[in-house]
Amino acid sequence: MENEQDQVGPGLSSTTTWNIYRYNGTEIVPQEDTIATETPLTIKVDGEEFATLVYTPTDSVDLVTGFLASEGLIRFVDQIESLTLEEERGFAHVKLRHLHQLSKQMVSKRFIGSCCGKSRQFYFHNDARTAKTVSTKLQITIQQCFHLMNLMQEQSADFRATGGLHNAALCTANELLLSRSDIGRHNALDKIYGHALRQRISVRDKVIAFSGRVSSEVVLKVAKIGVGILLSKSAPTDLALRLAQDLGITVVGFIRRDHLTVYTHPQRITECR
């Protein structure tokens, strides 16, 4: 990939500082507070506007790469001929090698907000092409579930500073390989996906630890990455669990302190066998 710029553009940061007034129970105290940064990034593919993401401006090359892969435009990083960032202006310019005409026809220009709500379009044709059934023989214990979630949270300095970011981590059964943060939980997963593609990290028999709610979109992204076990401290939705059941993904939610809930494919959690 040519013309790839730094992961973080000059002058951009994942956090910023605001002067605030905080009530401490007895009085109002003026203070400085650390706030998560939110900014748009418009991705242009072969000169045409493809999508605008609202994201935390870190690991931008990973984000763009993972997003293109999850949308079905690429399968391998070598399909990107060049990727140039203009983060101060809010643009990522991508040139692809041999973009398949079907991929072009099945995508639509869209705005993708950070809130993961109705502005987030999915169930496109490309989802059906790229969300694959996951096959893994990996099994982990309940204690490993707790350990991996703790490792992810320990890596989340920006979340501890702001309380406003989602976190995702790619793990083995025993250790954290890489972690990414973003205001959008889908962006955090795309950053994981993009980094794994760019660094050629195998996702076979890996685990994703995740801070956010397990929505249907999250399950689809995990399936596209190719990971068979998803750990979260939050709740799943009904559609997410139906998709996880069909796609072969073990979902473990509400991992907090000494409690958790196994929802799908429990055979991969050793105590459930």
Side-chain angles (χ1 to χ4, degrees):
M1 187 193 310
E2 299 176 355
N3 302 326
E4 181 181 303
Q5 293 187 357
D6 292 340
Q7 289 275 41
V8 182
L12 297 182
S13 172
S14 60
T15 63
T16 188
T17 301
W18 278 77
N19 294 319
I20 56 126
Y21 294 87
R22 178 169 284 129
Y23 180 63
N24 61 15
T26 57
E27 61 180 341
I28 291 285
V29 180
Q31 293 180 352
E32 285 189 346
D33 199 13
T34 303
I35 307 295
T37 304
E38 181 177 20
T39 190
L41 180 69
T42 297
I43 300 173
K44 290 191 172 184
V45 177
D46 295 341
E48 297 182 9
E49 183 177 334
F50 174 54
T52 296
L53 311 180
V54 178
Y55 82 121
T56 301
T58 59
D59 305 297
S60 304
V61 174
D62 287 346
L63 172 67
V64 174
T65 303
F67 179 75
L68 294 176
S70 68
E71 292 294 306
L73 268 69
I74 65 169
R75 292 183 62 194
F76 307 102
V77 71
D78 292 345
Q79 292 173 272
I80 299 176
E81 183 174 320
S82 63
L83 195 167
T84 304
L85 295 173
E86 292 184 277
E87 288 184 300
E88 289 289 345
R89 297 183 61 230
F91 287 99
H93 302 279
V94 181
K95 186 175 182 181
L96 298 181
R97 293 186 173 94
H98 313 301
L99 176 60
H100 196 284
Q101 189 61 32
L102 179 63
S103 295
K104 246 186 173 178
Q105 292 172 352
M106 294 302 170
V107 299
S108 62
K109 183 173 72 175
R110 51 212 185 272
F111 175 86
I112 299 174
S114 61
C115 62
C116 318
K118 291 183 179 179
S119 64
R120 181 62 171 169
Q121 298 184 39
F122 48 142
Y123 308 125
F124 284 101
H125 183 276
N126 280 1
D127 282 328
R129 293 197 303 116
T130 56
K132 49 190 175 288
T133 301
V134 180
S135 177
T136 178
K137 295 181 180 179
L138 178 66
Q139 293 181 326
I140 61 175
T141 67
I142 286 176
Q143 288 305 314
Q144 285 173 319
C145 292
F146 292 131
H147 176 62
L148 294 177
M149 289 297 294
N150 287 336
L151 288 178
M152 181 199 70
Q153 292 172 325
E154 289 171 1
Q155 292 290 318
S156 307
D158 285 344
F159 173 79
R160 293 195 298 272
T162 67
L165 296 173
H166 287 289
N167 308 298
L170 183 68
C171 312
T172 67
N174 296 301
E175 63 180 344
L176 186 150
L177 298 177
L178 67 113
S179 63
R180 292 291 183 267
S181 298
D182 200 278
I183 52 168
R185 60 181 182 267
H186 48 275
N187 292 339
L189 289 169
D190 279 338
K191 289 176 178 180
I192 291 285
Y193 193 8
H195 187 82
L197 286 173
R198 293 178 61 241
Q199 300 301 320
R200 291 174 171 80
I201 298 172
S202 172
V203 295
R204 179 179 294 275
D205 295 333
K206 298 298 190 301
V207 178
I208 284 182
F210 188 61
S211 66
R213 185 178 72 253
V214 179
S215 65
S216 53
E217 180 197 17
V218 166
V219 169
L220 283 170
K221 282 194 176 288
V222 171
K224 291 173 183 181
I225 295 170
V227 172
I229 300 177
L230 172 61
L231 310 178
S232 174
K233 70 175 186 179
S234 298
T237 68
D238 170 65
L239 179 56
L241 295 181
R242 284 187 277 133
L243 283 170
Q245 192 67 42
D246 291 343
L247 293 169
I249 295 172
T250 297
V251 174
V252 184
F254 287 114
I255 304 175
R256 302 175 183 179
R257 296 177 183 167
D258 59 351
H259 293 78
L260 57 74
T261 303
V262 182
Y263 291 95
T264 55
H265 296 281
Q267 72 276 7
R268 298 195 185 109
I269 307 302
T270 57
E271 289 87 347
C272 295
R273 288 183 298 172

